[in-house]
């Protein structure tokens, strides 16, 4: 059954929705023409503007909105704020640069041979269908080099965890939205 028909309980509701256009939807029993995603974008824009208020006095609202999904346009800012990137950058100003240039500054023996090998194996397995990580393209090679630096740096930073399966997908997703 088409989605348009599934969302309608009566024939008159179906007719009203069809006349409202392709982006119509039903919210609390009323046909609306603005897509719900625009409302979510507006809510996130307001929340990011009032970040302190939402993180300190309305944390349940923030949690609910995160679970519903962060709009694409807001992910970079939201993820940076959620993990408090600025706090870590000010606390450890040059740590990432030192760890990510490990070939030069740090003896790679600290990065276990197994972790090093697993990182190298998983690099081109990370979203192989996406042009951002496509093997043999300039953009893909740049993205893979960034991913390699992030994964090696983390493995050096947290020696207990090192590198484990699927970290490449988490780091790869973050690199699509955030700077290295």
């Amino acid at each position: 059954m088409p989605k348009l028909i599934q969302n309608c309980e009566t024939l008159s509701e179906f007719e009203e929705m069809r006349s409202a256009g392709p982006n119509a939807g039903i919210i609390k029993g009323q046909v609306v023409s603005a897509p719900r995603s625009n409302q979510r974008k507006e809510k996130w824009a307001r929340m990011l503007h009032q970040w302190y208020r939402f993180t300190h006095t309305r944390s349940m609202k923030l949690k609910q909105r995160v679970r519903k999904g962060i709009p694409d346009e807001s992910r970079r800012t939201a993820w940076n704020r959620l993990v408090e990137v600025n706090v870590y950058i000010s606390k450890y100003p040059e740590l990432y640069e030192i760890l990510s240039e490990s070939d030069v500054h740090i003896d790679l023996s600290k990065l276990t041979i197994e972790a090093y090998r697993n990182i190298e194996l998983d690099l081109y397995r990370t979203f192989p269908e996406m042009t951002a990580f496509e093997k043999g393209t300039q953009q893909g090679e740049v993205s893979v080099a960034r991913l390699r630096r992030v994964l090696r740096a983390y493995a050096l930073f947290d020696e207990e965890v090192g590198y484990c399966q699927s970290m490449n997908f988490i780091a790869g997703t973050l690199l699509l939205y955030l700077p290295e």
Side-chain angles (χ1 to χ4, degrees):
M1 185 182 312
K3 192 172 185 175
L4 181 65
I5 295 172
Q6 287 178 332
N7 292 333
C8 301
E9 293 180 18
T10 65
L11 184 57
S12 62
E13 227 178 47
F14 172 74
E15 290 298 327
E16 187 180 353
M17 214 165 134
R18 190 172 70 173
S19 65
N23 292 327
I26 298 175
I27 298 176
K28 295 184 181 178
Q30 293 189 349
V31 176
V32 293
S33 58
R36 191 168 262 201
S37 64
N38 284 342
Q39 291 174 342
R40 183 171 288 148
K41 289 175 191 177
E42 290 169 10
K43 286 178 182 179
W44 271 94
R46 283 193 306 272
M47 189 167 61
L48 290 171
H49 185 69
Q50 300 171 348
W51 189 253
Y52 182 84
R53 179 175 160 237
F54 277 90
T55 55
H56 291 84
T57 60
R58 302 189 69 199
S59 60
M60 286 305 294
K61 179 60 76 176
L62 173 63
K63 188 184 288 189
Q64 288 172 342
R65 288 190 181 161
V66 167
R67 287 181 177 162
K68 285 183 179 180
I70 303 170
D72 215 31
E73 304 81 15
S74 302
R75 286 184 185 155
R76 180 180 186 151
T77 305
W79 288 350
N80 269 307
R81 290 181 183 177
L82 286 167
V83 298
E84 299 178 327
V85 169
N86 292 336
V87 172
Y88 289 98
I89 288 174
S90 62
K91 192 173 180 180
Y92 307 106
E94 296 175 15
L95 181 63
Y96 179 72
E97 285 75 19
I98 292 168
L99 292 175
S100 66
E101 296 173 4
S102 59
D103 291 342
V104 178
H105 297 293
I106 294 177
D107 181 10
L108 272 179
S109 63
K110 285 187 176 181
L111 182 62
T112 68
I113 300 301
E114 182 182 4
Y116 181 84
R117 190 177 312 130
N118 287 335
I119 288 170
E120 292 301 313
L121 282 172
D122 284 348
L123 288 172
Y124 289 103
R125 295 177 182 167
T126 308
F127 307 121
E129 325 73 45
M130 291 185 70
T131 53
F133 292 97
E134 191 175 357
K135 189 174 186 172
T137 66
Q138 183 178 2
Q139 180 185 5
E141 296 301 323
V142 168
S143 294
V144 167
R146 291 173 60 220
L147 180 60
R148 178 183 288 115
R149 287 190 298 272
V150 168
L151 294 173
R152 284 185 184 177
Y154 185 82
L156 287 167
F157 177 73
D158 190 343
E159 292 178 23
E160 186 178 335
V161 173
Y163 175 76
C164 63
Q165 189 176 14
S166 296
M167 277 185 170
N168 57 320
F169 290 104
I170 295 166
T173 301
L174 291 172
L175 286 172
L176 290 171
Y177 292 95
L178 303 173
E180 188 179 343

